[in-house]
Amino acid sequence: MLRTAIRVRIGRPASSTRFNHSLGSQQQSSSPQPGGGADAKPKTVSFGFKTVPEDLKETLVKNVFDSVASKYDLMNDATSFGVHRLWKDSFVSSLRPGRKGPLKCIDVAGGTGDIALRILDYAKDNYYDRETTVDVVDINAQMLKEGYRRFKQTMYHNTPQISFHESNAQDLGAEKFKDNTYDLYTIAFGIRNCTDIPAVLREAYRVLKPGGTFACLEFSKVNNPLLSTLYDQYSFTVIPLLGTILAGDRDSYQYLVESIRKFPPQQEFAQMIRDAGFSTGKDADGGAWTDQWGGIACVHTGVKL
C-alpha cells in the first residue's frame, strides 16, 4: 500500500460529555428513586466485578484506557496471540464496505483506528473505492492520538476520508453528529465498557440513515463447557500477568477480563439491539449474531428500517 501523509481532524462535538476507547460510555448523573427524596441511594453499575456509583464508572474506565493506550496494540497481540487481527479482518470483510458504492461510516470507540483503516483498505482494494469516509469517535484523547499516529503513515492522511473526534458514544452531540447521517456504524471491543448500553444503541439508531447497518464486534459468552473453562483459566491468570510484564499495569487488564464476563450473552444483547429499534436476524448463531471461535468473540448486526 502507498504510505503518504494524512490530515486527520481531531475535533470535539458540541457535547461536553466524554467517552472511552474501545469504549463508548456516557455517565448519566445519579437520580433519586421515585419517592426516595434526598436520601435515596445513588444508582450503581458494574466496573468489572466491582459495584461502583454510576457517575464514577466513566472516570474509572477512562483511567484504564489512559493507562493502556500506548501499549494497547502490543497487549492485544500478546494476549490473543494475534487472533484479534483475524476477528477484525473477518468483521470488516463481512460488512463488505464499498460493494454498493461509497459509504459514510462512523466507527465508535475506535480511537486507535484499526477498524477504520480496515474499512478504507477493504473498500479501496476490493472495489477501487477512494470515496468512502470514516469518522472515528472515542472518548479518550490518548487513544485518539494513537490512531492519529497510525494514520500519518498511510495514504489516507490529510484526506477527507478520515477524521477523528473526541465524543461520548451515549451522547455524540446532535449538532455535529446529525440524525440519519451514516450508512454504517461500527463499534469493536468497546460497547461492554459503556455505562448505559441501551443509550449507545439508541444513539447509533439516531445517526444511521434508514437502511443503515449497526455492526458490533465484542467478546461474548463461550457455550462449550470445556472451552469456557480453559478460556477462563487463561483469562484470569495469563492476561493480567502479561499486563504486568508488558504494560506495567495488572489492574487495568484485570478489569478488562472481568468486563467481558459482565457483558450480556448473545441472545440478551440481540434483544437489546432490537429494543433500540433495529431489525435483526433470528436468535441464533448465523442470524442475529455470528460467533467467532466458539463465542469468545461475536459479531452482532442490525438494520435501521
Side-chain angles (χ1 to χ4, degrees):
M1 174 190 300
L2 292 173
R3 298 286 175 184
T4 58
I6 67 182
R7 173 174 54 96
V8 178
R9 302 183 303 278
I10 299 182
R12 273 193 199 190
S15 171
S16 61
T17 53
R18 295 178 59 83
F19 158 108
N20 196 304
H21 173 112
S22 266
L23 240 101
S25 62
Q26 174 191 350
Q27 276 321 102
Q28 297 178 342
S29 58
S30 299
S31 56
Q33 299 295 326
D39 295 332
K41 293 181 179 179
K43 292 181 180 179
T44 58
V45 293
S46 65
F47 176 72
F49 290 161
K50 299 175 184 176
T51 299
V52 300
E54 186 182 57
D55 59 2
L56 180 60
K57 180 174 178 177
E58 183 178 310
T59 298
L60 294 172
V61 174
K62 180 182 181 302
N63 290 342
V64 167
F65 285 94
D66 279 343
S67 174
V68 305
S70 64
K71 299 289 182 66
Y72 189 76
D73 289 332
L74 171 64
M75 282 298 299
N76 280 343
D77 283 335
T79 56
S80 73
F81 301 102
V83 172
H84 75 102
R85 297 177 182 269
L86 301 179
W87 291 336
K88 291 170 182 175
D89 287 344
S90 176
F91 175 56
V92 171
S93 295
S94 71
L95 301 171
R96 301 171 71 183
R99 180 173 65 94
K100 295 183 178 180
L103 298 177
K104 187 171 180 60
C105 309
I106 182 169
D107 181 42
V108 177
T112 59
D114 49 356
I115 297 298
L117 184 56
R118 282 172 168 83
I119 289 172
L120 296 178
D121 279 349
Y122 188 92
K124 173 180 65 68
D125 295 343
N126 291 276
Y127 303 108
Y128 308 101
D129 173 10
R130 287 297 310 277
E131 297 179 60
T132 284
T133 63
V134 184
D135 291 337
V136 178
V137 179
D138 203 299
I139 197 172
N140 190 284
Q142 295 302 314
M143 299 297 280
L144 289 167
K145 287 180 181 178
E146 293 299 315
Y148 180 79
R149 185 178 297 116
R150 166 178 283 162
F151 267 86
K152 286 182 73 173
Q153 303 174 50
T154 75
M155 66 189 300
Y156 308 110
H157 180 55
N158 234 13
T159 76
Q161 286 193 269
I162 187 72
S163 62
F164 285 72
H165 308 270
E166 185 178 350
S167 190
N168 190 313
Q170 293 175 199
D171 183 9
L172 293 169
E175 290 187 11
K176 189 171 186 66
F177 298 93
K178 299 185 183 301
D179 296 1
N180 305 313
T181 296
Y182 294 98
D183 302 293
L184 175 63
Y185 177 115
T186 55
I187 183 166
F189 300 121
I191 201 168
R192 76 180 187 280
N193 296 298
C194 301
T195 302
D196 186 346
I197 293 172
V200 177
L201 296 172
R202 290 192 299 269
E203 192 73 340
Y205 189 88
R206 179 184 70 79
V207 300
L208 279 168
K209 298 174 183 177
T213 297
F214 167 84
C216 174
L217 171 64
E218 187 54 89
F219 292 109
S220 198
K221 180 178 175 58
V222 178
N223 293 309
N224 180 284
L226 177 58
L227 179 59
S228 179
T229 298
L230 294 173
Y231 177 50
D232 280 349
Q233 290 177 347
Y234 174 77
S235 297
F236 285 101
T237 56
V238 176
I239 291 179
L241 178 61
L242 288 173
T244 302
I245 295 170
L246 298 178
D249 185 353
R250 180 185 181 89
D251 290 345
S252 290
Y253 286 91
Q254 182 72 31
Y255 157 73
L256 293 173
V257 170
E258 293 175 0
S259 70
I260 294 168
R261 274 62 183 183
K262 299 297 290 184
F263 189 68
Q266 289 88 325
Q267 188 169 356
E268 184 178 338
F269 185 50
Q271 185 59 52
M272 294 171 73
I273 294 170
R274 288 191 291 270
D275 289 345
F278 292 102
S279 175
T280 74
K282 63 180 181 179
D283 274 348
D285 184 13
W289 65 84
T290 302
D291 285 337
Q292 307 286 330
W293 284 45
I296 293 177
C298 184
V299 175
H300 282 263
T301 57
V303 176
K304 177 176 178 177
L305 299 180

